[in-house]
Amino acid sequence: MEAGVLLRQLQEGESLGLPHSRPMPSVGIHCHELRIRDTDKNWRIIYRIDDDAILIVEVFNKTTRTTSKKIIEICKKRLSKYDNDQQE
């Protein structure tokens, strides 16, 4: 439910900061990480804010202090494909 509430706030144009969201410049411009704490897991939602949409790029259970390079690369590839598809 928390994820839904936070995503709705983003859709309504609110700017979220810590502890709920933090910038992810390593993924790309306008990319952020939603931080959702469950009873026994720490969920992350990587998203990008575009003019007309909020793109959910990846959802995962974070088990280490840093976001893995593999996750960052997956996000970059997905955004690149999305951007290329939008230009066609």
Side-chain angles (χ1 to χ4, degrees):
M1 284 186 16
E2 182 181 356
V5 169
L6 293 172
L7 289 169
R8 172 63 64 194
Q9 289 174 340
L10 290 169
Q11 286 176 323
E12 292 173 350
E14 290 186 42
S15 179
L16 300 178
L18 287 173
H20 301 296
S21 181
R22 74 177 185 96
M24 290 288 291
S26 58
V27 174
I29 297 173
H30 306 295
C31 291
H32 303 268
E33 173 186 72
L34 267 186
R35 304 154 56 95
I36 296 152
R37 184 168 200 93
D38 202 352
T39 53
D40 60 345
K41 294 186 173 149
N42 292 308
W43 293 99
R44 298 297 186 257
I45 300 173
I46 305 292
Y47 66 97
R48 183 175 80 185
I49 299 174
D50 284 359
D51 290 336
D52 60 343
I54 297 182
L55 305 173
I56 305 296
V57 184
E58 179 66 282
V59 178
F60 62 99
N61 173 26
K62 191 162 183 184
T63 57
T64 61
R65 204 160 157 71
T66 60
T67 303
S68 77
K69 290 179 182 179
K70 180 181 176 183
I71 295 282
I72 290 171
E73 288 305 312
I74 288 169
C75 292
K76 286 180 177 183
K77 285 180 185 175
R78 287 180 179 165
L79 287 170
S80 178
K81 180 172 180 357
Y82 175 83
D83 291 337
N84 288 336
D85 289 350
Q86 293 299 306
Q87 291 175 1
E88 293 177 2

